[in-house]
Amino acid sequence: MSAHRRPRTGGAVHARFRVREIPEITVTAHEAGAAVGDGLAAAVRRAAQRALADAGRGYLGGRVELRTPRVPAASPGRPCDRPAPGRRATERAVRRAAHRAVALAVAATLRGERGDARVRIPGH
């Protein structure tokens, strides 16, 4: 048995937010989590900016660390232009959970609490 185990998120998205004075949002993937694609990173960045603006702190920025479960890969032998069955729904569910997790993490940070949030993905 391996001495090092990678933490798994299971069917949840975990977001951690750290506030900075520089007004930009950076999004990184936790090294043990799945890679955060450009589309998800842009959506998470907008969600964090919106949460800061809604709280009246739009002049701040921060760093979002995101852990997401892996989305099922395309089936072998399937044309690249058509996604695997259920893949689009899974990506949408992960994106929605990531939006919610980031908003909760930003709100917790602004309240002075630990800036972590975990949101369960429906159906996982």
Side-chain angles (χ1 to χ4, degrees):
M1 186 185 283
S2 174
H4 298 284
R5 292 188 182 191
R6 293 180 3 170
R8 304 183 87 195
T9 62
V13 172
H14 181 238
R16 176 176 290 160
F17 182 76
R18 301 291 180 243
V19 71
R20 292 190 205 163
E21 296 293 323
I22 301 170
E24 76 173 352
I25 305 290
T26 58
V27 180
T28 60
H30 186 271
E31 58 272 4
V36 176
D38 291 337
L40 181 59
V44 166
R45 188 175 300 111
R46 285 189 305 269
Q49 289 169 338
R50 186 172 38 248
L52 285 169
D54 288 348
R57 304 286 173 98
Y59 56 89
L60 293 174
R63 177 174 176 257
V64 176
E65 185 178 299
L66 198 64
R67 284 189 209 175
T68 62
R70 297 195 188 278
V71 176
S75 302
R78 188 171 183 85
C80 295
D81 59 340
R82 292 181 12 211
R87 182 181 171 104
R88 187 172 294 152
T90 302
E91 287 174 346
R92 187 172 33 246
V94 168
R95 188 174 56 245
R96 287 179 181 165
H99 281 216
R100 181 83 174 131
V102 167
L104 291 172
V106 169
T109 299
L110 294 178
R111 285 192 308 265
E113 299 171 3
R114 192 170 162 198
D116 290 345
R118 185 179 305 265
V119 174
R120 192 147 167 71
I121 300 171
H124 284 87

